[in-house]
Amino acid sequence: MHYLREAACKNNLIFVRYRILFVEKDAKIFIAGHRGMVGSAILRKLSALGFYNVLLQTSDELDLRNQQAVADFFSAQKPDYVFLAAAKVGGILANNRFRADFLYENLAIQNNVIHQSYTHRVKKLLFLGSSCIYPKLAPQPLKEEYLLTGLLEPTNEPYAIAKIAGIKLCEAYHDQYGCNFISVMPTNLYGYNDNYHPEHSHVLPALIRRFHEAKTADEPEVTVWGSGAPKREFLFADDLADACVFLMESYNDSQLINIGTGEDLSIRELAHLIKDVVGYKGELAFDASKPDGTPRKLMDVSKLHALGWHHATALKSGIRLAYGDFLARLETELH
Ligand SMILES: NC(=O)C1=CN([C@@H]2O[C@H](COP(=O)(O)OP(=O)(O)OC[C@H]3O[C@@H](n4cnc5c(N)ncnc54)[C@H](OP(=O)(O)O)[C@@H]3O)[C@@H](O)[C@H]2O)C=CC1
Ligand SMILES: C[C@H]1O[C@H](OP(=O)(O)OP(=O)(O)OC[C@H]2O[C@@H](n3cnc4c(=O)[nH]c(N)nc43)[C@H](O)[C@@H]2O)[C@@H](O)[C@@H](O)C1=O
């Protein structure tokens, strides 16, 4: 249940059904990566709640890999809160192809933003991990304590190592300097402003595009990567944004916390779901030469549910919304 869905704001207090939250409406909030799928969803959520003092920088304006530029930005702007949603992100093929870039760029971005948040006394920072950094064959569903208990999935090991380092860096600044830096672990995400690159995107947007293009071109068959057997969990990005704002408001533990739906399906089932939403009538083929990756990574979301947050968007409804966004962007930016 979105704890803020029926929120009413007055006199800087947000009245929600269960709790009264005190928020500084004029707080300076830096959303790193605000043009991305997650960052733009967080921006939409904060704007809807009346937060108007939001700091936004494109990667052209502020390359977060540049240590001096990040130090200068924090020194000049002194944000109160930071959502760290900037990263080099991609699907299984991109992770496996650009291994050095995924490791180096994500380490550089998070080291700079987390360290400068400490140096300039940011009140609270939220760092985004990812479900793919749990051990490849960890017991399911994945509990937060399973992190670092086994070998990682090789295709995205560099990215996972960077993310684990970010989580540990937030923990270390909490332990040594008392910083209120929290780490959240989202499951696979999809939604508005997703990456639809034919090869470097994640499975859900990739299949939306492939089924749409096959329907438009009247192709008899669509190829899905891998065996179709792996299982994945998918959370709509605007639900994730709601969870991030909820946790920024109410979660102050340095231990990481999973964010997901607690439900998963096979890639084969997902492909049929997307095929139906797009209205493609042809056949499916599975390309076993492509990697399956982790067999399953279902999140145990009992810790988050115990805090009172649940996702709101059902998968088929979310896929319809994402397909609508894809169509809207097709004319302007997707080539
Ligand atoms: N997508 C998913 O399925 C999942 C994502 N996550 C995490 O969520 C976060 C956001 O992911 P998502 O929104 O999907 O990613 P996107 O690729 O949609 O957005 C990433 C953003 O990071 C910014 N960025 C990248 N490199 C730099 C840089 N050098 N300097 C400044 N900004 C930079 C980009 O800015 P610009 O547009 O200005 O270039 C972009 O807006 C990441 O931490 C990711 O690991 C976690 C689990 C699943
Ligand atoms: C989100 C999280 O987790 C990511 O890992 P992943 O979940 O394995 O990423 P994926 O969405 O790319 O693949 C999911 C499954 O789907 C199959 N699959 C079928 N057909 C297509 C297809 O056309 N494209 C893609 N990408 N996968 C396909 C694919 O073979 C695989 O079995 C990390 O990269 C990392 O980014 C991370 O943070």
Side-chain angles (χ1 to χ4, degrees), residues 74 79 106 114 131 146 198-199 225 253 260 265 275 286 296 302 317:
F74 270 78
N106 287 311
I114 295 167
S131 61
Y146 294 169
E199 286 203 319
W225 295 357
D253 190 323
L265 75 170
K275 178 176 181 286
F286 287 85
R296 192 181 190 197
S302 50
S317 312

Side-chain angles (χ1 to χ4, degrees), residues 30 32-40 57-66 70 84-90 105-106 109-110 127-132 159 163 184-190 192-195 202 234-235 237 240 297:
F30 175 37
H34 76 279
R35 292 199 303 189
M37 176 171 67
V38 172
S40 56
Q57 294 282 295
T58 68
S59 58
D60 290 335
E61 291 164 338
L62 175 61
D63 183 342
L64 294 172
R65 295 169 299 182
N66 181 326
V70 175
L84 180 38
K88 183 168 182 61
V89 181
E105 293 192 30
N106 287 311
I109 290 167
Q110 55 198 46
F127 176 71
L128 287 148
S130 170
S131 61
C132 73
Y159 173 79
K163 285 290 178 182
V184 303
M185 287 280 266
T187 189
N188 289 47
L189 304 172
Y190 70 103
Y192 303 124
N193 223 7
D194 205 342
N195 167 5
H202 289 103
F234 297 96
L235 177 68
L240 173 77
K297 42 182 183 163

